[in-house]
Amino acid sequence: MTPRPNHPGPRSAPVGEHPVAVMLVQGIRSGTGSPPEAEMLCLLDDVERRRAARIADAAQAVSFVAGRHALRVLAASLLGVQPADLASKSVCPVCSPGGTADHGRPGYTLDGGTIPLALSLSRADGFILLGALDVRGAVPDAIPRLGIDLTAVAGVGFDGFDDVSLTTAERDAVRTVPVAGRGAARARLWARKEALVKALGTGFTDRDPSEVDVLADGRISDLPDVDGVVLASEGLVAAVAVIP
């Protein structure tokens, strides 16, 4: 997995009081210079490989592998270790709050200890957005949580989206936007919702999207560009949330 040309790696982006390293990398489109799937799989651990093997759709499986490969490389680079030294440890608050799932919020251990990074990733339309928050020095009971989301504007353009996904206030806000910009406005709200529930660790298991209002939630920031790449030019929007 390689960054987009002329955008070689992670940058620091303030989110509230927290510095977040984020990077937009190209996904599995042909000609992006991505490593072959077999090479990426070799860097993953058995838990990640078993998860990939269960994904029936081949394109989705490759996208999963590419995302986990990119996140592992990013985490290792921020810690100054080898990617193969990390062992995956995902946390699902429903199935395994202790971190024994192969799904949920992604994370890693190093030499048996949890690494001091809050991580998140999102995939959309051939791109991968990564997020990493350094939590060294944080009080154990108050470690910040990170959620990041990348959404394709075209993916929210179906009839009925507003009714099932947006609050009444959000629907009203979308209607104030010129028609040509409403798709991007909807996608922006969806990205903010996804980023928030990822940071909370719940997903939408305990609430409907139409009950999550993100119009003015100070824990969420929009990402109009990453490392100089204007996301709108790729038909994408993104958001990042940090829960103290």
Side-chain angles (χ1 to χ4, degrees):
M1 186 60 53
T2 57
R4 289 180 56 88
N6 303 319
H7 302 285
R11 67 168 170 91
S12 292
V15 180
E17 300 177 353
H18 307 283
V20 180
V22 292
M23 178 171 63
L24 181 70
V25 294
Q26 284 193 331
I28 56 174
R29 293 173 176 172
S30 61
T32 61
S34 302
E37 181 185 4
E39 182 179 327
M40 292 190 290
L41 276 168
C42 285
L43 196 60
L44 305 188
D45 60 21
D46 289 342
V47 173
E48 293 166 319
R49 285 192 286 266
R50 286 195 296 268
R51 167 87 182 277
R54 293 202 305 272
I55 301 174
D57 183 270
Q60 289 297 318
V62 174
S63 179
F64 171 81
V65 170
R68 289 307 177 96
H69 176 271
L71 188 66
R72 178 180 286 266
V73 169
L74 173 62
S77 70
L78 294 173
L79 295 170
V81 300
Q82 294 300 311
D85 293 339
L86 300 176
S88 63
K89 180 184 179 181
S90 297
V91 176
C92 173
V94 176
C95 303
S96 62
T100 57
D102 63 356
H103 59 279
R105 186 187 299 120
Y108 300 97
T109 60
L110 178 66
D111 296 330
T114 302
I115 64 172
L117 296 173
L119 300 170
S120 188
L121 73 90
S122 184
R123 308 186 304 274
D125 200 25
F127 289 89
I128 300 169
L129 182 65
L130 308 174
L133 177 67
D134 190 335
V135 298
R136 278 172 282 206
V139 178
D141 292 335
I143 295 176
R145 291 167 288 167
L146 174 70
I148 200 163
D149 189 72
L150 185 68
T151 294
V153 174
V156 300
F158 57 88
D159 290 341
F161 174 84
D162 291 10
D163 293 333
V164 300
S165 303
L166 305 183
T167 65
T168 300
E170 290 168 345
R171 292 196 293 271
D172 291 342
V174 168
R175 283 193 287 268
T176 68
V177 176
V179 173
R182 289 181 185 176
R186 292 183 177 98
R188 172 180 169 271
L189 289 168
W190 183 253
R192 290 173 66 87
K193 289 173 189 277
E194 285 278 10
L196 178 62
V197 298
K198 285 180 182 180
L200 291 171
T202 61
F204 291 112
T205 57
D206 64 343
R207 71 201 81 188
D208 290 328
S210 61
E211 299 172 348
V212 180
D213 194 299
V214 293
L215 277 174
D217 193 318
R219 299 171 295 180
I220 313 168
S221 296
D222 298 318
L223 291 174
D225 65 90
V226 180
D227 285 337
V229 178
V230 179
L231 300 185
S233 66
E234 303 289 351
L236 301 168
V237 297
V240 57
V242 175
I243 307 298

